[in-house]
Amino acid sequence: VINSLLWTPLLFGLLGLFAPKRLVGWWATLGAAVTLGLAIALLAGFDSGTPGLQDTVDVNWIPGLGVDYSLGIDGLNVFLVLLTAVLWTGSVAFAAVREQERPHLFFLLMLLGETATLGAFIAQDLLLFVLFFDLMLVPFYFLFGAWGSDREGGPTAAAATLKMIVYTLIGSLLMLVAAIATAIIAADGGQITFSIADLANHPLAEGSQRWVFWFFAAAFLVKMPAFLLHGWMPDAYRAAPLPVLAVFSGVLAKVGAYGFLRVVLPLFPDATVQFQEVVLVIALASILYGSVMAFTQTNVRLVAGYSSIAQLGFITAGIFALRADGADGAILQMVNHGLVVAPLFIIVAILAERSGTEDLREMGGMAMRAPVLAALFLIVTLATLAMPGSANFIGEFYILNGLFQAKIVFAFVAISGVAMSAYYALRLYQRTMHNRRPEGIASRELSLRDGLVLVPLVLCIVGLALYPQLILHRTDRSASAAVTAAANPPTGLMRPQDGRERPVELASVTTGLGRLHGGRNRPVGGEGR
Amino acid sequence: MAFQAPAIDYAALSPVIALTAGICVVLMTAVLRALRRTAAGLTLLTLATTAGLLIWQWGDSVDLVSGALRLDDLAISISLIAVLTAAFAVLLSLREPAVEQAGPGEYHALLLGSVLGMVLLAQAQNLVSFFVAIETLSIPLYILCATDLIRERSLESGLKYLIVGSLGSATLLYGMAFLYGGSGSTDFSGIATGIGADGVLGDPLVLVGIAMTGVGLAFKSSIAPFHQWTPDVYEGAPTPVTSFMAVATKAAAFAVFVRFFDVALAPQASEWQPALAVLAAASIVIGNVGALGQDSLKRLLGYSGIAQAGYILGGLVVASEAGIEALVFYLAAYAFMNLAAFSVIVARERETPYGDDIRAVRGLGAERPLLAWPLTISMLALAGLPATAGFIGKLYLIEALVEGDYTWLAVFIAVGTMVSLAYYLRVVAAMWMRSGEEGATATAIAGASPEADPIDPEAGRRPYLAGPALLAAAAVVFFGIIPQPLVEFAQHAGASLF
């Protein structure tokens, strides 16, 4: 299943080259939908009881260089794979109902992007991971550059895209060197292997870990993007075509966070502990900076873009709490953020079509004749600001929970991010949907076709809000395994093997919140066991 | 006393014999007017025969001509790269104005002569055969660069190459004399034993000899800081010749580089490694920075070739089997990447009035997808993006470098690659994206002089141009996804020295 999951999108994309122009979009949608079906099948077959990888494929790919074609699913990636499949189906469908220039190439690149992203998520060989990680860039380079829009008085789409590529490749090329160094040092003259599981058993000496850690961290932090490494984001986000941006922001940013969990924490535990606070500072800076920038931006895309920086800051903080809670929350939040931000960009696209602008100051009153659109947007907004009752709330709660246990000072700062998210999310909603409607802006209801794309995505948010255990239950074991290497904690806080009875040593406020809104013990909706 | 005839291994010499015979036959067609049109076909036939004979000898390793030459898998693999490149160059030369002006017989005979030099150079393990081979390689190239007789730039290119190349040869020869004086032998293995005890640094004669020989080789393989001729010569020479020079000369020069340093100077590896590492780093920096502002695609590829030579030199620096394997792999990948690019440039030169200026490929994605794809793949591969042979090549090199404790050079390669993206992707952007840069200044024309060459608006559809482009690009992608065959090819070559 896992092989066909990986290659189905590309196969459909290539066959799509022969489809007539009118149908190629629908053909691509079918391809994404089939992939989604396979991802669901994979999830259905996923056994949350077994530790380690499932559904593995392991073939010698380049024996001369020690590189294997090795794939596998575990709790860390199973939902990210599903997220990828869901968002791609939505975006491709949304693009298919609109006219695209050179549609054959557009959809081929979209689907190639899906294959590369899925590959990055399920690769279990370090080098294969790096390969897919870099490969993701190629289709998005073309999609942003050739289908993006030039900005008046600003850089062209091609220039903005080049900036993005150079930024992101700085990280990933260094990561290539670091990955090879890791394998060679670990092999110590023996047979070289890039298998992540094997490498985790032969940790490097602390000195090597330090530089290798930063080479990897650079790649992942740029991808997210984190504060100070986000320079490519504003231009690229303004240039990108919106359906592409939806998956880019929704999924690709998560590959960076996922990389920390999959690669950095298990392989470089000493360096992780050593640099924990540095990364946490970067994460908090991202939260604060992203939130503040999101207040002030007037371009709708950038509000969403900067809010993503803040959200990814949260996720990073959760991972680097080095507690099982934090990692659980981070994974949940990755899925949540993807599910929120992709519909957000699709709504932005719909709003931009109606108003002819992406400037908040010139928008308003969109809700007047469009109650359904307004309702959907409201759900997305409330999820973005992590309203209690939404899955985002639970994700953030877990992250903060982990952070409180690990570094209480950082947790207090991070909390301010929660408050700020309310401001920018509501501001975005009010400025577009409420207020007086300026001249020349039409308030039109969602068309049926767009509704068919948007409603299922919003339903995913609602569904996850009702039943976050779906994710938490399956990720828990892998998430705690990922952090154990790093978190054989200095404070001696060992985590019991069965997470369910874990005592919650927290300030009573947060404990109370957990009781109310469904921590691990009492899932929302009463499905407690 | 009976005369003892020397034993001649005709089988192992057969590729050289075939090439020599081919040169004579092709040259004859220049004399017999009726056969003028057959020159290209006969050249291809010669090259095919040579390739067949080389493959037949695959796996052998024998000393020839009393140890002056050595036919082993390293020599065969490099020779195959040279022969393949020459075959591409012949296809790209069809209907090339330069060929008509020089005469097809002469042009192709010179090309084959240069290939002969390369095949010999790849086998050379004696200072004398080394020098003879490198001159056999170079002299035809000086002439080939100047074959586009009505273009001033072509003549300039030939002259420049002649002067710089002679300087390189002279340095090389002078260095060899020192080396012979210091070690008392012209054989590579003899040199190794001759200087063994004192080491390189102990004997100024040997040190100067090695330095000058190295400089001479660096001239030939365009390694910084001995690269200045490269962009000018590449730009001025007829494009098929440029493609041949860029790939085959580099491959052959690196073959002898490997033999000289890893056989003759193997015992002193730790003493010359740092020097070569610095040269490699300098090439990477200078090549990549130099390419940034180039509008002429041939100049751009010239500078990129300097940078790539720096990467390839990394394989030599570590003086290990893995290093040689990486070097051979990268050379093979480099051949395909560059041939794809040059095929497209030739086609666009004939289609548009822009010569090899970057404007010649603007909008190519929509206009001529079958040309745009090979160039795109080639650029992405040169930039080392995954799913291309370029990525695997970089991976191979970096693995060898890290293993040989030259991690800093591996980081240099990574940083250089980042810089290179800026210019490789500029070409890609010109093909696929609405570019606001370089407005509508369509009058000034860089590179080739268009008024001289007739425009053939259908050039991009001709199978002898589109075919090689697609074939090379397909090979780049194929070996990017299934690299194992090429890895084994490289492993054979590497194993023959150790």
Side-chain angles (χ1 to χ4, degrees):
Chain A
V1 179
I2 197 161
N3 253 329
S4 44
L5 172 81
L6 179 57
W7 299 112
T8 301
L10 184 59
L11 186 71
F12 270 84
L14 289 174
L15 290 177
L17 290 179
F18 305 103
K21 219 168 190 162
R22 227 159 22 85
L23 294 179
V24 59
W26 297 113
W27 174 254
T29 312
L30 178 67
V34 170
T35 315
L36 177 60
L38 290 169
I40 291 173
L42 206 60
L43 177 65
F46 185 79
D47 178 5
S48 55
T50 7
L53 296 169
Q54 305 180 19
D55 257 310
T56 49
V57 175
D58 199 347
V59 184
N60 268 352
W61 181 37
I62 321 177
L65 298 178
V67 184
D68 287 353
Y69 171 79
S70 152
L71 310 173
I73 285 282
D74 65 4
L76 289 184
N77 57 16
V78 64
F79 281 96
L80 293 171
V81 166
L82 191 64
L83 173 75
T84 311
V86 168
L87 295 193
W88 242 278
T89 311
S91 290
V92 170
F94 185 74
V97 299
R98 275 155 186 75
E99 193 136 326
Q100 305 290 343
E101 274 176 64
R102 282 185 271 168
H104 290 102
L105 203 52
F106 179 87
F107 288 106
L108 171 62
L109 290 169
M110 274 296 264
L111 293 174
L112 173 63
E114 181 170 12
T115 288
T117 313
L118 287 172
F121 279 132
I122 59 184
Q124 298 300 335
D125 183 280
L126 191 54
L127 213 82
L128 197 66
F129 171 76
V130 175
L131 188 148
F132 278 121
F133 191 87
D134 287 358
L135 185 62
M136 288 192 304
L137 275 180
V138 177
F140 282 95
Y141 169 71
F142 287 103
L143 287 168
F144 278 30
W147 281 270
S149 45
D150 298 344
R151 189 155 53 90
E152 265 177 56
T156 58
T161 316
L162 181 62
K163 191 168 163 189
M164 170 182 92
I165 293 287
V166 171
Y167 256 94
T168 33
L169 270 183
I170 286 178
S172 34
L173 284 166
L174 291 178
M175 180 165 78
L176 176 65
V177 177
I180 294 169
T182 308
I184 286 178
I185 298 172
D188 199 21
Q191 179 63 38
I192 293 174
T193 170
F194 285 96
S195 156
I196 293 177
D198 289 352
L199 289 175
N201 292 332
H202 300 96
L204 308 181
E206 213 181 320
S208 329
Q209 280 193 24
R210 277 188 214 135
W211 67 268
V212 171
F213 173 87
W214 281 113
F215 276 20
F216 273 97
F220 297 147
L221 290 174
V222 172
K223 197 78 174 186
M224 286 180 171
F227 177 59
L228 288 184
L229 297 172
H230 65 279
W232 57 270
M233 192 278 287
D235 285 341
Y237 268 45
R238 269 182 287 205
L242 281 162
V244 182
L245 192 54
V247 283
F248 185 85
S249 181
V251 182
L252 265 69
K254 313 301 174 298
V255 184
Y258 166 78
F260 275 116
L261 278 176
R262 168 68 70 201
V263 178
V264 173
L265 264 53
L267 261 51
F268 318 117
D270 299 337
T272 305
V273 173
Q274 193 177 355
F275 296 121
Q276 180 186 14
E277 294 191 350
V278 183
V279 179
L280 281 177
V281 167
I282 295 175
L284 291 190
S286 301
I287 296 176
L288 298 178
Y289 175 82
S291 306
V292 172
M293 288 303 278
F295 293 172
T296 53
Q297 291 300 320
T298 52
N299 184 308
V300 192
R301 294 170 181 226
L302 289 192
V303 175
Y306 280 109
S307 79
S308 295
I309 292 186
Q311 295 290 329
L312 266 297
F314 251 108
I315 293 169
T316 317
I319 294 169
F320 273 81
L322 304 185
R323 290 290 182 282
D325 269 359
D328 277 350
I331 293 176
L332 178 60
Q333 194 63 0
M334 281 189 232
V335 177
N336 286 335
H337 179 247
L339 282 177
V340 167
V341 86
L344 192 60
F345 277 116
I346 289 178
I347 290 170
V348 166
I350 293 171
L351 294 181
E353 277 170 10
R354 283 161 177 57
S355 64
T357 173
E358 286 172 3
D359 193 322
L360 272 184
R361 287 166 300 190
E362 295 165 19
M363 290 180 153
M366 298 282 211
M368 282 249 282
R369 302 242 168 79
V372 179
L373 179 62
L376 293 174
F377 192 9
L378 190 62
I379 296 174
V380 174
T381 309
L382 293 180
T384 307
L385 61 81
M387 190 74 162
S390 68
N392 299 56
F393 173 78
I394 295 155
E396 288 190 358
F397 173 76
Y398 267 81
I399 289 173
L400 289 173
N401 193 348
L403 207 51
F404 260 109
Q405 292 172 49
K407 306 271 171 188
I408 196 155
V409 182
F410 288 99
F412 274 111
V413 182
I415 283 179
S416 66
V418 184
M420 287 192 281
S421 70
Y423 180 76
Y424 60 71
L426 289 176
R427 171 172 171 265
L428 179 65
Y429 183 77
Q430 282 187 343
R431 287 290 188 91
T432 51
M433 305 306 281
H434 294 168
N435 287 359
R436 192 180 303 260
R437 181 158 59 91
E439 294 265 327
I441 287 186
S443 165
R444 247 183 308 124
E445 187 49 286
L446 200 59
S447 71
L448 181 64
R449 287 171 156 194
D450 288 348
L452 284 178
V453 176
L454 202 51
V455 170
L457 287 176
V458 173
L459 280 182
C460 289
I461 301 178
V462 176
L464 206 55
L466 294 176
Y467 189 46
Q469 277 305 74
L470 176 76
I471 293 182
L472 289 171
H473 177 60
R474 287 172 179 77
T475 56
D476 184 43
R477 191 184 286 270
S478 303
S480 33
V483 293
T484 37
N488 279 322
T491 50
L493 262 173
M494 281 297 289
R495 189 161 189 287
Q497 210 46 44
D498 179 5
R500 219 158 298 261
E501 276 87 34
R502 184 184 35 78
V504 187
E505 330 78 343
L506 286 180
S508 57
V509 183
T510 36
T511 321
L513 275 176
R515 294 267 152 72
L516 259 173
H517 294 294
R520 196 184 306 259
N521 301 332
R522 302 215 180 142
V524 173
E527 291 95 336
R529 43 191 88 197
Chain B
M1 202 170 81
F3 172 67
Q4 281 265 307
I8 298 176
D9 189 346
Y10 285 106
L13 281 172
S14 60
V16 174
I17 296 171
L19 269 175
T20 318
I23 294 171
C24 300
V25 172
V26 172
L27 202 55
M28 281 303 127
T29 65
V31 183
L32 302 171
R33 202 152 269 285
L35 296 177
R36 266 174 73 89
R37 297 284 139 217
T38 58
L42 286 172
T43 312
L44 283 177
L45 186 67
T46 310
L47 290 170
T49 316
T50 314
L53 292 170
L54 283 167
I55 293 169
W56 173 48
Q57 293 296 317
W58 182 252
D60 271 9
S61 67
V62 282
D63 283 340
L64 304 168
V65 205
S66 357
L69 302 176
R70 180 178 177 78
L71 189 77
D72 54 15
D73 286 348
L74 177 68
I76 293 176
S77 56
I78 299 288
S79 303
L80 280 173
I81 294 174
V83 168
L84 180 82
T85 313
F88 270 80
V90 172
L91 288 176
L92 299 186
S93 304
L94 290 174
R95 312 248 172 116
E96 175 75 19
V99 181
E100 298 306 319
Q101 286 156 30
E106 291 89 333
Y107 179 93
H108 288 105
L110 287 168
L111 189 70
L112 284 178
S114 191
V115 176
L116 175 63
M118 292 166 183
V119 172
L120 286 174
L121 191 60
Q123 304 179 14
Q125 57 166 359
N126 173 303
L127 291 179
V128 177
S129 54
F130 171 11
F131 187 74
V132 170
I134 212 163
E135 288 303 282
T136 315
L137 176 171
S138 304
I139 293 171
L141 277 180
Y142 302 148
I143 309 169
L144 281 173
C145 285
T147 43
D148 205 350
L149 298 170
I150 54 172
R151 271 176 51 229
E152 206 175 305
R153 277 172 173 279
S154 172
L155 300 177
E156 180 194 328
S157 149
L159 190 62
K160 212 172 240 171
Y161 195 27
L162 172 66
I163 294 171
V164 177
S166 310
L167 186 67
S169 300
T171 320
L172 189 67
L173 196 58
Y174 202 31
M176 286 176 178
F178 276 107
L179 210 53
Y180 175 62
S183 67
S185 173
T186 57
D187 276 336
F188 285 1
S189 51
I191 294 173
T193 47
I195 53 177
D198 335 331
V200 176
L201 300 176
D203 187 349
L205 210 55
V206 174
L207 183 62
V208 172
I210 292 173
M212 293 184 87
T213 315
V215 167
L217 275 173
F219 263 115
K220 297 287 173 192
S221 47
S222 60
I223 286 169
F226 312 103
H227 64 281
Q228 278 92 346
W229 59 274
T230 315
D232 290 350
V233 173
Y234 276 23
E235 189 190 3
T239 312
V241 176
T242 310
S243 74
F244 177 68
M245 261 198 306
V247 178
T249 315
K250 198 158 276 168
F254 270 108
V256 74
F257 235 128
V258 167
R259 251 188 238 284
F260 182 67
F261 279 94
D262 276 349
V263 175
L265 305 176
Q268 284 81 31
S270 57
E271 290 168 10
W272 51 257
Q273 276 178 322
L276 285 190
V278 170
L279 283 187
S283 286
I284 293 170
V285 173
I286 291 174
N288 281 321
V289 173
L292 284 177
Q294 302 299 337
D295 283 333
S296 152
L297 292 175
K298 275 152 77 180
R299 285 186 83 85
L300 189 147
L301 283 174
Y303 275 110
S304 114
I306 297 168
Q308 306 274 343
Y311 305 152
I312 298 171
L313 192 58
L316 181 59
V317 164
V318 290
S320 64
E321 188 176 337
I324 306 302
E325 288 172 26
L327 183 147
V328 173
F329 186 98
Y330 204 90
L331 275 174
Y334 176 80
F336 288 120
M337 299 188 278
N338 269 340
L339 289 174
F342 277 113
S343 308
V344 177
I345 295 174
V346 171
R348 288 308 278 181
E349 262 182 354
R350 297 190 198 165
E351 275 183 2
T352 68
Y354 297 117
D356 68 329
D357 194 84
I358 193 165
R359 273 171 295 157
V361 298
R362 192 180 290 167
L364 201 61
E367 197 187 326
R368 280 261 199 286
L370 281 187
L371 285 183
W373 278 113
L375 189 54
T376 307
I377 290 170
S378 151
M379 289 295 135
L380 296 181
L382 283 166
L385 286 167
T388 65
F391 177 84
I392 309 285
K394 289 237 165 69
L395 160 66
Y396 218 143
L397 278 174
I398 293 175
E399 200 167 314
L401 280 169
V402 176
E403 230 174 356
D405 270 337
Y406 269 92
T407 310
W408 67 268
L409 195 55
V411 174
F412 247 85
I413 293 184
V415 175
T417 307
M418 272 174 272
V419 177
S420 73
L421 281 169
Y423 57 87
Y424 290 131
L425 291 184
R426 188 162 155 245
V427 178
V428 177
M431 278 187 282
W432 296 98
M433 296 169 194
R434 296 168 297 233
S435 63
E437 67 169 326
E438 305 153 36
T441 48
T443 41
I445 282 151
S449 62
E451 61 276 10
D453 302 339
I455 289 175
D456 171 10
E458 290 298 306
R461 296 216 171 83
R462 308 232 178 264
Y464 54 83
L465 292 181
L470 287 171
L471 192 68
V476 169
V477 173
F478 178 82
F479 290 123
I481 295 169
I482 307 168
Q484 192 56 25
L486 206 53
V487 170
E488 276 169 22
F489 176 78
Q491 277 173 338
H492 272 281
S496 62
L497 272 193
F498 287 86

